[in-house]
Amino acid sequence: MALRSCEECPGTNDCAAENLYPILGRVLALYAGGTTDKFEILFALPEGDEELLEKFDYRVSKTCWTKAALLTLADELAARLPAAPADQAEAVASAVLSTGRDAFARFPWNLPDLVDQAAALYVAVLDRCDDPDAVAAALSRRAFLKVCKAVTYG
């Protein structure tokens, strides 16, 4: 199960989402670190990020931004969930997803896709973990979907 790509996706090397999601990773890190002003975040990004944004600007759809956001969240969840105590996995997932929701609010991503693609996102998280069985034991697919719904719809 893979995250949804746009209908014109040229593949991994030229996929706008695959190329832009590292930028969203930096946006998420800045936002989580307390830099919440849109312009401060833009000015804090390296110059290469601006070049990437310009390069892919003409072919970035809402689907591309959504995939980039979900890939970023998958990386962050895969980094944070294994270190969390099992009884805190839902809270950690909720915190990461809520921060992502807020950090990416000014980007044209489709927040309801967080629910629509929750199963694919869950698989992407497990694929990025060194010990996916431990993460799956601490946070089931069903629990993850509930967290995604709570973050999206309140």
Side-chain angles (χ1 to χ4, degrees):
M1 180 175 301
L3 295 171
R4 189 177 307 132
S5 294
C6 70
E7 292 180 15
E8 295 87 33
C9 187
T12 303
N13 290 339
D14 288 327
C15 173
E18 292 283 346
N19 282 280
L20 294 176
Y21 98 87
I23 295 171
L24 291 186
R26 288 185 279 284
V27 169
L28 182 63
L30 287 165
Y31 192 91
T35 305
T36 59
D37 181 74
K38 172 182 161 180
F39 295 107
E40 286 181 31
I41 289 171
L42 288 173
F43 290 127
L45 294 173
E47 199 170 302
D49 287 354
E50 186 176 328
E51 292 170 11
L52 269 177
L53 287 168
E54 288 175 10
K55 176 181 177 181
F56 289 98
D57 183 50
Y58 71 95
R59 62 179 176 188
V60 181
S61 68
K62 187 175 252 188
T63 302
C64 299
W65 280 117
T66 300
K67 183 176 180 182
L70 294 176
L71 288 168
T72 302
L73 294 172
D75 281 356
E76 186 67 17
L77 287 163
R80 302 249 335 258
L81 284 173
D87 65 338
Q88 294 296 311
E90 285 185 40
V92 168
S94 180
V96 168
L97 295 173
S98 295
T99 302
R101 175 199 61 210
D102 298 342
F104 306 147
R106 292 190 174 98
F107 289 88
W109 74 303
N110 190 16
L111 182 59
D113 272 4
L114 182 58
V115 174
D116 295 343
Q117 296 189 64
L121 178 58
Y122 184 77
V123 170
V125 171
L126 295 181
D127 285 347
R128 287 165 163 73
C129 290
D130 290 334
D131 188 2
D133 293 334
V135 172
L139 183 65
S140 69
R141 185 183 306 242
R142 184 169 189 232
F144 185 73
L145 177 60
K146 287 174 134 179
V147 171
C148 290
K149 284 182 179 179
V151 168
T152 302
Y153 302 117

